Coordinates of all heavy atoms in Angstrom, one line a residue:
S431 N 34.5 120.3 83.1 CA 35.9 120.7 83.2 C 36.2 121.8 82.0 O 37.3 122.2 81.8 CB 36.9 119.6 83.1 OG 36.6 118.9 82.0
G432 N 35.1 122.3 81.2 CA 35.4 123.3 80.3 C 34.2 124.2 80.4 O 33.1 123.9 80.5
C433 N 34.5 125.5 80.3 CA 33.4 126.6 80.3 C 34.0 127.8 79.4 O 35.0 128.4 79.7 CB 33.1 127.0 81.7 SG 31.9 128.3 81.9
L434 N 33.1 128.2 78.5 CA 33.5 129.2 77.6 C 32.1 129.9 77.1 O 31.2 129.3 76.8 CB 34.3 128.9 76.3 CG 35.7 128.4 76.5 CD1 36.0 127.4 75.4 CD2 36.7 129.6 76.5
G435 N 32.2 131.2 77.0 CA 31.1 131.9 76.3 C 31.1 131.5 74.9 O 32.1 131.0 74.3
D436 N 29.9 131.6 74.4 CA 29.8 131.0 72.9 C 30.6 131.5 71.9 O 31.2 130.6 71.1 CB 28.3 131.1 72.5 CG 27.7 132.5 72.5 OD1 28.4 133.4 72.9 OD2 26.5 132.7 72.2
Q437 N 30.9 132.9 71.9 CA 31.7 133.4 70.7 C 33.3 133.0 71.0 O 34.0 132.7 70.0 CB 31.7 134.7 70.7 CG 30.2 135.3 70.3 CD 29.6 134.6 69.1 OE1 30.2 134.3 68.1 NE2 28.3 134.3 69.1
H438 N 33.5 132.9 72.2 CA 34.9 132.4 72.6 C 35.2 130.9 72.3 O 36.2 130.5 71.8 CB 35.1 132.7 74.1 CG 34.8 134.1 74.5 ND1 35.7 135.1 74.9 CD2 33.5 134.6 74.7 CE1 35.0 136.1 75.3 NE2 33.6 135.9 75.1
A439 N 34.1 130.2 72.7 CA 34.2 128.7 72.2 C 34.3 128.5 70.8 O 35.1 127.6 70.3 CB 33.0 128.0 72.7
A440 N 33.7 129.4 70.0 CA 33.8 129.2 68.6 C 35.3 129.5 68.1 O 35.8 128.9 67.2 CB 32.8 130.2 67.8
L441 N 35.8 130.6 68.8 CA 37.2 131.0 68.4 C 38.1 129.8 68.8 O 39.1 129.5 68.0 CB 37.7 132.1 69.3 CG 38.9 132.8 68.9 CD1 38.9 133.7 67.7 CD2 39.4 133.6 70.2
V442 N 37.9 129.1 69.8 CA 38.7 127.8 70.2 C 38.5 126.8 69.3 O 39.4 126.1 68.8 CB 38.5 127.6 71.7 CG1 39.1 126.1 72.0 CG2 38.9 128.6 72.6
G443 N 37.1 126.5 69.0 CA 36.8 125.5 68.1 C 37.4 125.6 66.7 O 37.6 124.7 66.0
Q444 N 37.6 126.9 66.3 CA 38.1 127.2 65.1 C 39.7 127.2 65.1 O 40.4 127.4 64.1 CB 37.7 128.6 64.5 CG 36.4 128.7 64.1 CD 36.2 128.3 62.6 OE1 36.9 127.6 62.0 NE2 34.9 128.8 62.0
M445 N 40.2 127.0 66.3 CA 41.6 126.7 66.5 C 42.4 128.0 66.2 O 43.6 128.0 65.7 CB 42.1 125.6 65.8 CG 41.6 124.3 66.3 SD 42.0 122.8 65.5 CE 40.7 121.7 65.8
C446 N 41.8 129.2 66.6 CA 42.5 130.5 66.4 C 43.2 130.8 67.7 O 43.0 131.7 68.5 CB 41.5 131.5 66.2 SG 40.4 131.3 64.7
F447 N 44.4 130.0 67.8 CA 45.2 130.2 68.9 C 46.4 131.2 68.8 O 47.2 131.5 69.7 CB 45.8 128.8 69.4 CG 44.7 127.9 69.9 CD1 44.6 126.7 69.3 CD2 44.0 128.3 70.8 CE1 43.6 125.8 69.8 CE2 43.0 127.4 71.3 CZ 42.8 126.1 70.8
R448 N 46.6 131.7 67.6 CA 47.8 132.6 67.3 C 47.4 134.0 67.2 O 46.2 134.3 66.8 CB 48.6 132.1 65.9 CG 49.3 130.8 66.0 CD 50.4 130.8 65.0 NE 49.7 131.0 63.7 CZ 49.2 130.1 62.9 NH1 49.1 128.8 63.4 NH2 48.7 130.3 61.7
D449 N 48.1 135.0 67.6 CA 47.8 136.4 67.4 C 47.5 136.6 65.9 O 48.1 136.2 65.0 CB 49.1 137.3 67.7 CG 49.6 137.2 69.0 OD1 49.2 136.3 69.7 OD2 50.5 138.1 69.5
G450 N 46.4 137.4 65.8 CA 45.9 137.7 64.5 C 45.0 136.9 63.8 O 44.5 137.2 62.8
Q451 N 44.8 135.7 64.3 CA 43.8 134.8 63.8 C 42.4 135.2 64.2 O 42.2 135.7 65.4 CB 44.0 133.3 64.3 CG 45.2 132.6 63.6 CD 45.2 131.2 64.0 OE1 45.3 130.8 65.1 NE2 45.4 130.4 63.0
A452 N 41.5 135.2 63.2 CA 40.1 135.6 63.6 C 39.1 134.8 63.0 O 39.3 133.9 62.1 CB 40.0 137.0 62.9
K453 N 37.8 134.6 63.8 CA 36.8 134.0 63.3 C 35.6 134.9 63.1 O 35.4 135.7 64.0 CB 36.5 132.7 64.1 CG 35.9 133.0 65.5 CD 34.4 133.2 65.5 CE 34.0 133.8 66.7 NZ 32.4 134.3 66.8
N454 N 34.6 134.6 62.3 CA 33.4 135.3 62.1 C 32.2 134.3 62.2 O 32.2 133.4 61.5 CB 33.4 136.1 60.8 CG 32.2 137.1 60.8 OD1 31.7 137.4 61.8 ND2 31.8 137.5 59.7
T455 N 31.2 134.5 63.1 CA 30.1 133.7 63.2 C 28.9 134.4 62.5 O 28.6 135.5 63.0 CB 29.8 133.4 64.6 OG1 31.0 132.6 65.3 CG2 28.6 132.4 64.8
Y456 N 28.4 133.7 61.4 CA 27.3 134.5 60.8 C 25.9 133.9 61.2 O 25.7 132.8 61.0 CB 27.4 134.1 59.3 CG 28.7 134.7 58.6 CD1 29.9 134.1 58.8 CD2 28.6 135.9 57.9 CE1 31.0 134.7 58.1 CE2 29.7 136.3 57.1 CZ 30.9 135.8 57.3 OH 32.1 136.3 56.8
G457 N 25.1 134.6 61.9 CA 23.7 134.4 62.2 C 22.9 135.5 62.0 O 23.0 136.0 60.9
T458 N 22.0 135.8 62.9 CA 21.1 137.0 62.7 C 22.0 138.3 62.4 O 21.7 139.1 61.6 CB 20.2 137.2 63.9 OG1 19.3 136.1 64.0 CG2 19.4 138.5 63.8
G459 N 23.0 138.4 63.3 CA 24.2 139.4 63.1 C 25.4 138.6 62.8 O 25.3 137.3 62.7

Side-chain angles (χ1 to χ4, degrees):
S431 54
C433 181
L434 288 155
D436 54 1
Q437 302 306 326
H438 313 255
L441 190 76
V442 171
Q444 291 274 22
M445 301 178 196
C446 295
F447 292 124
R448 292 198 308 273
D449 294 16
Q451 286 187 305
K453 70 89 197 171
N454 192 19
T455 300
Y456 294 76
T458 299

